[in-house]
């Protein structure tokens, strides 16, 4: 690829000059010679550009690992300058390491969770620890656990950031048919954007907006073959939840059993 600089000497864009077929598999976009990187990736994290600038200026190859939010994937990339000093061509050899990074993060989460639970058998303390660590791992601004008690969903404690309103309370399942369906079917409920979601009724949509519960992933917790509660991972802004998010949340909900 060819680096394109702005008037301050910072990288403004990159032009693809040659790529193999694997690139399209990784980025989900067919790239031809002359394609601008900005055409298929709208945001590049600063550390990618920092590494590219060093390689361009020094001629010393670098390998960097990082996350690209546009693709929602982790990559390991080696940059090498092509040609002598002053040439703007860079060769990039990269590998998708998302699965490895997610496993590393999962192991780190489990270790922290194990440390947090080692000194307590109190169910409420366990719920609080799982909620707090899950909130941190997913980078969301709220997480809580609902226990099913008769016709009610009871939230005793919620972990949240900033000035968000607490949702700790008792909620009748009969008032929320969609959530009752989680209990009856034992399947996750996924909402990316409450104001526009077609699966929410107007009463639930209004409550979600009032409590700033805009996107959420609700995972049933099964005990003895029955749903005993729901682990709720919540963001106050729209967020697309991935199949990997659902799987990880389901794995971690086992700690609440």
């Amino acid at each position: 690829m060819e680096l394109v600089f702005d008037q301050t000497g910072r990288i403004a864009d990159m032009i693809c000059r040659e790529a193999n077929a694997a690139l399209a598999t990784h980025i989900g976009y067919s790239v031809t010679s002359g394609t601008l990187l900005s055409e298929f990736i709208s945001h590049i994290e600063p550390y990618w550009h920092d590494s590219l600038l060093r390689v361009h200026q020094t001629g010393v190859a670098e390998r960097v690992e990082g996350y690209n939010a546009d693709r929602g994937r982790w990559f390991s990339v080696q940059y090498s300058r092509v040609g002598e000093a002053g040439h703007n061509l860079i060769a990039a050899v990269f590998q998708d390491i998302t699965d490895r990074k997610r496993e590393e993060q999962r192991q780190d989460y489990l270790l922290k969770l194990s440390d947090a639970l080692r000194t307590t058998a109190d169910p409420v303390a366990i719920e609080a620890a799982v909620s707090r660590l899950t909130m941190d791992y997913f980078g969301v601004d709220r997480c809580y656990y609902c226990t099913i008690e008769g016709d009610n969903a009871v939230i005793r404690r919620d972990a949240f950031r900033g000035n968000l309103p607490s949702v700790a309370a008792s909620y009748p399942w009969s008032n929320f048919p969609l959530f009752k369906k989680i209990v009856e079917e034992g399947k996750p409920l996924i909402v990316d954007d409450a104001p526009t979601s077609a699966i929410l009724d107007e009463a639930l949509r209004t409550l979600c907006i009032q409590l700033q519960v805009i996107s959420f992933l609700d995972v049933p917790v099964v005990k003895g073959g029955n749903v005993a509660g729901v682990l709720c991972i919540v963001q106050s802004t729209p967020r697309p939840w991935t199949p990997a998010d659902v799987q990880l949340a389901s794995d971690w909900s086992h700690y609440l059993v």
Side-chain angles (χ1 to χ4, degrees), residues 35-212:
T35 300
L36 288 169
L37 188 70
S38 58
E39 291 181 31
F40 55 90
I41 298 181
S42 61
H43 173 72
I44 303 263
E45 289 75 11
Y47 47 80
W48 301 111
H49 279 177
D50 292 344
S51 179
L52 280 164
L53 277 173
R54 287 192 298 270
V55 172
H56 175 260
Q57 291 167 358
T58 67
V60 178
E62 283 192 16
R63 179 174 293 278
V64 59
E65 289 187 0
Y67 181 78
N68 178 246
D70 252 24
R71 307 309 308 166
R73 310 291 292 176
W74 287 85
F75 295 98
S76 172
V77 185
Q78 177 163 315
Y79 294 124
S80 305
R81 191 176 69 196
V82 179
E84 301 299 323
H87 288 209
N88 292 343
L89 291 179
I90 299 287
V93 179
F94 67 95
Q95 179 183 13
D96 187 322
I97 58 171
T98 304
D99 290 343
R100 191 197 85 198
K101 294 297 291 188
R102 284 177 176 161
E103 180 59 23
E104 289 174 356
Q105 291 173 331
R106 189 180 76 88
Q107 291 298 330
D108 181 61
Y109 171 91
L110 295 178
L111 179 61
K112 291 178 180 177
L113 183 60
S114 177
D115 288 342
L117 301 184
R118 185 176 296 121
T119 58
T120 183
D122 176 46
V124 177
I126 292 172
E127 292 169 13
V130 171
S131 296
R132 185 178 62 256
L133 288 170
T134 302
M135 180 180 71
D136 290 342
Y137 176 86
F138 281 93
V140 294
D141 45 32
R142 183 185 281 143
C143 184
Y144 46 88
Y145 177 64
C146 303
T147 57
I148 309 303
E149 300 179 7
D151 187 48
N152 295 315
V154 180
I155 305 172
R156 293 185 176 84
R157 245 183 241 180
D158 53 344
F160 58 90
R161 305 183 198 278
N163 297 318
L164 291 173
S166 173
V167 297
S170 179
Y171 301 88
W173 279 116
S174 56
N175 292 353
F176 304 102
L178 188 60
F179 290 119
K180 190 174 182 180
K181 190 176 180 181
I182 303 176
V183 178
E184 293 172 346
E185 298 184 357
K187 296 179 180 178
L189 173 64
I190 305 166
V191 172
D192 294 341
D193 185 11
T196 62
S197 175
I199 67 173
L200 301 184
D201 59 41
E202 289 311 308
L204 182 54
R205 190 189 319 279
T206 299
L207 180 62
C208 286
I209 294 172
Q210 176 186 343
L211 295 175
Q212 299 180 48

